[in-house]
Amino acid sequence: MEKTKIVVAGPRGRMGSEAVKLVERTEGYELVAVVDHKHGGKKLNELEGFSTSSVPIYDNMTVCLTEVKADVLIDLTTPEVGMVHTRTALELGVRPVVGTTGFTQENLKELEELCREKEVGCIIAPNFAVGAVLMMKFSQLAAKYFPDVEIIELHHDQKLDAPSGTAVKTAQMISQVREEKVQGHPNEKETLQGARGANYNGMHIHSVRLPGLIAHQQVMFGADGQALTIRHDSYNRASFMSGVKLAVDTVKNVDTLIYGLENIID
Ligand code: NAP
C-alpha cells in the first residue's frame, strides 16, 4: 500500500516536533517536507534535535505544496499563519489536519466553504487528546441536568490565545443542550474588570496561564446541595498524538470540514 505523504508545519514547535516524531515512527506514513519560516532552503537534519530525516525545509507553503507531492498537511503553528497554510493546502488539494488553535468563526466558515468547493477534506481539532474530547462529551451530558456551569482552563504561559479553543468548544457543545441563562446574581458587579471571566451564552470561562502547566481544563457544575467537577489534564504533548494519527487516517476519506475530534471518535 502507498504511504501517506505528510508535510508538517511548525516542526520546531512543542507540538510540531512531536508530530514529526509521530510521522517518522508510524508505519505507512512518510514525512516529505516541513514548513518553517526561519529555515527555508535547509534540510531538516541540519536543525538541532532532528538527526533522522533529511527532508527539505520550505519557508513558503505554496512553494512547498507545489514542489512536493503530499497527501496531508499537519499544521501546528499560530492562528494567522495556520489559517494561510490551511487555505493554501485546500486550494492545492492537500488535506489539512490542523491542531493550531485560535481560528475565528469566520475562518471556520471560509474553510468549510473551501472544502465543499474543492471537495477536499480537512480536520481541525482544538484538542487532540482523546481524554479532553471525553471531558467535553461528559460535560455536554452533565449540562442537561446541571445548567449552572463555569469553565476553568489552565495552560502554560506561552499560549497565545485565550480562552483556549477547547474551552470555547466545550461552551459551544454545552450550548447545544442548555438553554441560555444568566448565571450568578442578576445585579452582580465586577469591582475589578474581568473578575467573572469571559461570557459565552451566560457561561463564564476563566483562563489561567502559568509556567509549568501544559493543558488542563475543569468544568464545574453547581446545583442545590451538590457539585460536579469534570477535569482533564495533559501532562505532555505526546498525549495529543494518538488524536493527530486518528485525524490523519480519517482525513483521507472525507471531503468536508470536520471541526472537533469528538466528531470522529465514538
Ligand atoms: P510553539 O511551540 O510556539 O510552536 C509554534 C511553532 O510555529 C514555532 O516553532 C514557530 O516558529 C512556528 N511558526 C510560526 N510562524 C510560522 C510560519 N510562518 N511558518 C512555519 N512555522 C511557523 O507552540 P505549540 O505549543 O507547539 O502550539 C502550536 C499550536 O498548537 C498553537 O496554536 C497551540 O494553541 C496549538 N495546540 C493545539 C493542541 C491540540 O491538541 N489541538 C495542543 C497543544 C497546542 P518560531 O518559534 O520561530 O516562531
Side-chain angles (χ1 to χ4, degrees):
M1 212 173 71
E2 249 196 67
K3 289 191 173 191
T4 304
K5 296 181 168 50
I6 300 175
V7 169
V8 174
R12 281 178 299 107
R14 286 160 294 208
M15 286 287 285
S17 54
E18 286 296 332
V20 167
K21 282 190 229 160
L22 169 78
V23 176
E24 287 180 336
R25 70 167 179 257
T26 304
E27 212 176 305
Y29 288 5
E30 183 185 352
L31 185 69
V32 289
V34 297
V35 175
D36 180 335
H37 61 144
K38 290 191 181 146
H39 295 282
K42 292 184 187 165
K43 302 275 186 209
L44 184 59
N45 58 5
E46 291 174 48
L47 303 190
E48 204 185 321
F50 297 95
S51 55
T52 49
S53 177
S54 60
V55 296
I57 303 177
Y58 288 86
D59 56 14
N60 180 290
M61 186 60 74
T62 308
V63 178
C64 173
L65 298 183
T66 308
E67 288 189 2
V68 173
K69 185 180 166 349
D71 303 304
V72 174
L73 161 71
I74 300 177
D75 191 89
L76 294 155
T77 57
T78 63
E80 296 75 24
V81 175
M83 181 62 197
V84 175
H85 286 173
T86 307
R87 193 189 284 127
T88 306
L90 287 171
E91 274 164 358
L92 295 173
V94 176
R95 290 159 192 268
V97 165
V98 182
T100 306
T101 59
F103 283 17
T104 63
Q105 287 305 314
E106 289 75 44
N107 291 156
L108 295 174
K109 199 162 177 289
E110 180 194 326
L111 294 173
E112 192 177 19
E113 277 164 20
L114 194 54
C115 285
R116 200 174 306 127
E117 184 193 318
K118 299 284 176 189
E119 295 182 359
V120 177
C122 172
I123 295 178
I124 302 178
N127 201 321
F128 276 118
V130 173
V133 173
L134 293 174
M135 179 248 314
M136 290 189 255
K137 284 195 170 208
F138 296 157
S139 300
Q140 190 184 41
L141 178 64
K144 275 190 202 166
Y145 307 97
F146 292 88
D148 287 273
V149 49
E150 305 240 345
I151 299 169
I152 305 173
E153 57 95 344
L154 310 90
H155 281 83
H156 59 89
D157 62 348
Q158 299 306 301
K159 185 168 176 57
L160 292 177
D161 52 318
S164 71
T166 305
V168 175
K169 181 76 191 169
T170 308
Q172 286 168 347
M173 286 174 66
I174 289 177
S175 288
Q176 289 165 9
V177 299
R178 168 192 180 272
E179 268 186 37
E180 190 169 339
K181 74 172 279 195
V182 177
Q183 291 181 200
H185 196 286
N187 297 330
E188 80 179 6
K189 281 196 179 60
E190 288 181 335
T191 53
L192 200 55
Q193 202 192 346
R196 292 287 288 121
N199 187 325
Y200 187 100
N201 286 353
M203 266 173 278
H204 292 263
I205 304 179
H206 311 267
S207 298
V208 177
R209 297 289 177 266
L210 285 172
L213 294 173
I214 304 279
H216 318 259
Q217 178 168 298
Q218 69 187 44
V219 186
M220 300 178 68
F221 299 90
D224 275 350
Q226 57 180 324
L228 172 67
T229 299
I230 299 170
R231 180 172 171 118
H232 175 260
D233 297 274
S234 274
Y235 295 118
N236 61 30
R237 269 99 188 166
S239 66
F240 302 111
M241 292 304 135
S242 58
V244 173
K245 181 172 183 308
L246 181 64
V248 169
D249 293 341
T250 306
V251 79
K252 291 182 283 181
N253 303 316
V254 296
D255 55 11
T256 55
L257 173 75
I258 296 178
Y259 180 67
L261 199 65
E262 68 282 1
N263 295 310
I264 58 172
I265 63 166
D266 258 325

